C-alpha cells in the first residue's frame, strides 16, 4: 500500500488542504490540493489535481454558527473518501501556530495533547482556535486516522536564553511570555533545501526573509534557528500586509490611557489596519502597491524595505557575520523590485546583486564574486508538514 498524507492548514475563515502521495524516502508529491474559503460567510470549495487543473468546485449555505470548520471538513472528507481507496490515508498533518514552551517537535495528537494545545489559545487567540477546530473536525470525520500537530514555533525553540526573553520579571517568562518566533515550518523547509539548492551556504550563517502577507526573518546557523524577528505573537518585527510589526509598547499605553482605546480596538488596529495597508491607506497587497503611482504606496514600500535592511543588519550581527541571504514566500519569491532594493541596501555587507539573475528569480541572484550570496527559494510549508507527519508516525 502506498503512503498518503493529508495536510490541513486551518485558518479563521479558510481551510487549505493538500493530499500527498509518497515519493522516495522523505519526499512527497501533491495528488490533490485546494481550499475551502469563506467559512462563516459563503463557503466555497475548490480542488485541483497534481497538474493544477480544477477538478471540483462547490459552495453551500453556511451551517449553524460554530460548526463552520466541522461542516467544511465533512465536505472535504466526503469528497476525498472515494478517491483514496487504494491509497489509504496514513496520517493527517496539521499546521498549528503555537506549541507553547514545551512542544519543540511534531507530536501525535491524543486527548491530553489536545488539552495542552487548547491551553495555548491565549498565546495565539486569532489562529490557534481555528487550528484546533480543524483537528477536532478531522478526528470526527476521518476517524481512525492518526493526527499529527506540526508547530510554527518548534523550529525556534532552541534559541539561546537572551533571544528567548523579554526584559520583564521572570514570573512572566515562567507563565509563557516568551519570544517564540513563527513561520518555523517555512524556515525549516528552507534550511533543509539549502544543501541541494544553495550548497555553498548550507550549514553556514544564513538570514532567511519570509516575505508574504505575514512577514518575518530568521537567523540560521548550521541549520538551526538562532533568532527571529517575531516574538510573543506574530505581530512583532517586520511590517506586514495588515500587521504593524515592531512598535514601541509605549504607543499601546498612549492608545489606552490618552485615547481610551479598549483591548479589542487595539487588537483590530495592530492586526488588521496597520502594516502596508495602514501606511498606504490603499492596500495590503504588494502587487497593488508596486503598480500604484500614489506617494503613500511608495512610502509603504520604502518602510517595508527599510525594515528588512535594518533587521538583516541585526540578524547578521547576532550570527557574527553572514554568508547568505534567502528570499521566500509571495513577495520574496516574486517581487524583483523589492529584492533589488533590499540587496542594494545591503551592498556594504559584501552583497553584489546580479540584476539579470534577479529578474529571472534566481535561484542565485548575486554575482559570482559577491562575498555574501543572495538566493530566491520557494518555500513549501505543506511539504514540511507531510515529512514531519510521516516521520512522527514511523512504525505505525
Ligand atoms: P500568505 O502569508 O498569505 O501565505 P503569500 O506568501 O502568498 O502570503 O504572499 C502574499 C504577498 O505576495 C502579497 O503581498 C502579494 O502581493 C505578494 N505577491 C505575490 N505575487 C507577487 C508578484 N508577482 N509581485 C509582487 N508581489 C507579489
Amino acid at each position: 500500500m502506498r503512503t498518503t498524507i493529508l495536510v490541513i492548514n486551518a485558518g479563521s475563515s479558510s481551510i487549505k488542504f493538500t493530499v500527498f502521495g509518497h515519493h522516495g524516502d522523505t519526499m512527497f508529491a501533491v495528488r490533490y490540493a485546494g481550499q475551502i474559503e469563506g467559512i462563516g460567510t459563503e463557503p466555497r470549495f475548490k480542488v485541483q489535481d497534481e497538474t493544477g487543473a480544477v477538478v471540483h468546485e462547490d459552495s453551500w449555505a453556511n451551517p449553524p454558527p460554530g460548526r463552520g470548520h466541522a461542516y467544511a471538513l465533512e465536505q472535504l472528507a466526503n469528497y476525498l473518501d472515494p478517491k483514496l481507496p487504494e491509497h489509504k490515508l496514513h496520517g493527517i498533518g496539521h499546521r498549528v501556530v503555537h506549541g507553547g514552551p514545551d512542544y519543540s517537535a511534531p507530536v501525535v495528537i491524543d486527548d491530553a495533547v489536545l488539552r495542552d494545545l487548547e491551553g495555548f489559545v491565549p498565546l495565539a487567540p486569532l489562529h490557534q482556535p481555528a487550528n484546533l477546530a480543524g483537528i477536532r473536525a478531522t478526528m470526527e470525520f476521518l476517524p481512525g486516522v492518526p493526527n499529527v500537530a506540526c508547530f510554527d514555533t518548534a523550529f525556534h525553540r532552541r534559541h539561546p536564553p537572551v533571544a528567548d526573553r523579554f526584559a520583564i520579571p521572570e514570573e512572566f517568562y515562567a507563565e509563557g511570555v516568551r519570544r517564540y518566533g513563527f513561520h518555523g515550518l517555512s524556515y525549516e523547509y528552507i534550511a533543509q533545501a539549502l544543501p541541494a539548492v544553495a550548497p555553498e551556504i548550507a550549514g553556514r550563517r544564513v538570514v532567511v526573509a519570509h516575505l508574504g502577507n505575514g512577514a518575518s526573518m530568521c537567523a540560521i546557523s548550521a541549520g538551526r534557528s538562532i533568532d527571529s524577528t517575531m516574538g510573543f505573537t506574530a505581530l512583532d518585527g517586520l511590517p506586514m500586509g495588515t500587521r504593524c510589526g515592531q512598535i514601541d509598547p509605549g504607543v499601546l499605553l498612549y492608545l489606552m490611557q490618552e485615547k481610551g482605546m479598549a483591548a479589542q480596538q487595539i487588537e483590530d488596529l495592530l492586526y488588521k489596519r496597520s502594516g502596508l495597508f495602514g501606511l498606504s491607506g490603499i492596500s495590503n497587497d504588494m502587487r497593488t502597491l508596486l503598480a500604484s503611482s500614489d506617494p503613500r504606496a511608495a512610502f509603504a514600500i520604502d518602510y517595508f524595505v527599510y525594515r528588512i535592511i535594518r533587521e538583516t543588519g541585526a540578524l547578521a550581527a547576532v550570527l557574527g557575520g553572514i554568508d547568505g541571504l534567502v528570499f521566500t514566500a509571495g513577495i520574496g519569491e516574486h517581487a524583483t523590485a523589492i529584492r533589488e532594493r533590499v540587496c542594494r541596501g545591503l551592498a556594504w555587507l559584501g552583497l553584489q546583486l546580479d540584476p539579470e539573475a534577479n529578474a529571472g528569480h534566481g535561484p542565485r541572484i548575486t554575482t559570482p564574486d559577491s562575498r555574501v550570496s543572495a538566493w530566491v527559494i520557494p518555500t513549501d510549508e505543506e511539504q514540511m508538514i507531510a515529512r514531519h507527519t510521516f516521520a512522527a508516525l514511523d512504525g505505525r
Side-chain angles (χ1 to χ4, degrees), residues 71-256:
Y71 193 78
L73 251 309
E74 187 179 8
Q75 306 309 305
L76 176 61
N78 288 342
Y79 175 80
L80 287 179
D81 204 35
K83 304 224 159 349
L84 302 171
E86 81 276 21
H87 301 284
K88 198 168 155 336
L89 267 188
H90 187 63
I92 305 168
H94 295 265
R95 180 183 196 167
V96 177
V97 69
H98 223 301
D102 298 327
Y103 287 98
S104 55
V107 62
V108 180
I109 302 169
D110 59 20
D111 288 344
V113 170
L114 200 51
R115 269 197 305 279
D116 278 353
L117 301 188
E118 271 158 9
F120 304 142
V121 166
L123 303 183
L126 297 189
H127 296 102
Q128 194 87 343
N131 301 157
L132 299 182
I135 294 171
R136 279 193 219 94
T138 55
M139 284 175 153
E140 183 176 350
F141 296 111
L142 295 164
V145 186
N147 289 273
V148 174
C150 302
F151 303 103
D152 260 321
T153 47
F155 187 61
H156 303 295
R157 288 313 306 135
R158 291 189 295 169
H159 281 175
V162 285
D164 202 30
R165 284 282 294 268
F166 292 107
I168 56 176
E170 188 172 8
E171 69 212 62
F172 296 103
Y173 180 76
E175 69 175 63
V177 183
R178 305 178 180 203
R179 294 192 66 245
Y180 291 97
F182 298 88
H183 290 137
L185 293 159
S186 173
Y187 293 126
E188 192 175 11
Y189 178 84
I190 298 293
Q192 292 190 8
L194 291 181
V197 183
E200 67 240 59
I201 58 166
R204 304 189 67 188
R205 299 163 302 180
V206 178
V207 171
V208 183
H210 177 109
L211 310 177
N213 219 352
S216 72
M217 297 177 74
C218 179
I220 296 177
S221 179
R224 276 180 55 178
S225 170
I226 299 298
D227 203 346
S228 150
T229 58
M230 277 181 172
F232 179 55
T233 65
L235 270 183
D236 203 2
L238 301 179
M240 308 175 214
T242 59
R243 287 176 245 161
C244 59
Q246 191 266 324
I247 190 167
D248 178 346
V251 174
L252 311 191
L253 297 176
Y254 171 81
L255 296 177
M256 287 187 284

Side-chain angles (χ1 to χ4, degrees), residues 320-340:
I322 176 174
D323 300 298
L325 172 65
V326 176
F327 293 93
T328 194
I331 298 170
E333 291 166 28
H334 301 109
T336 311
I338 300 293
R339 291 195 304 256
E340 173 166 352

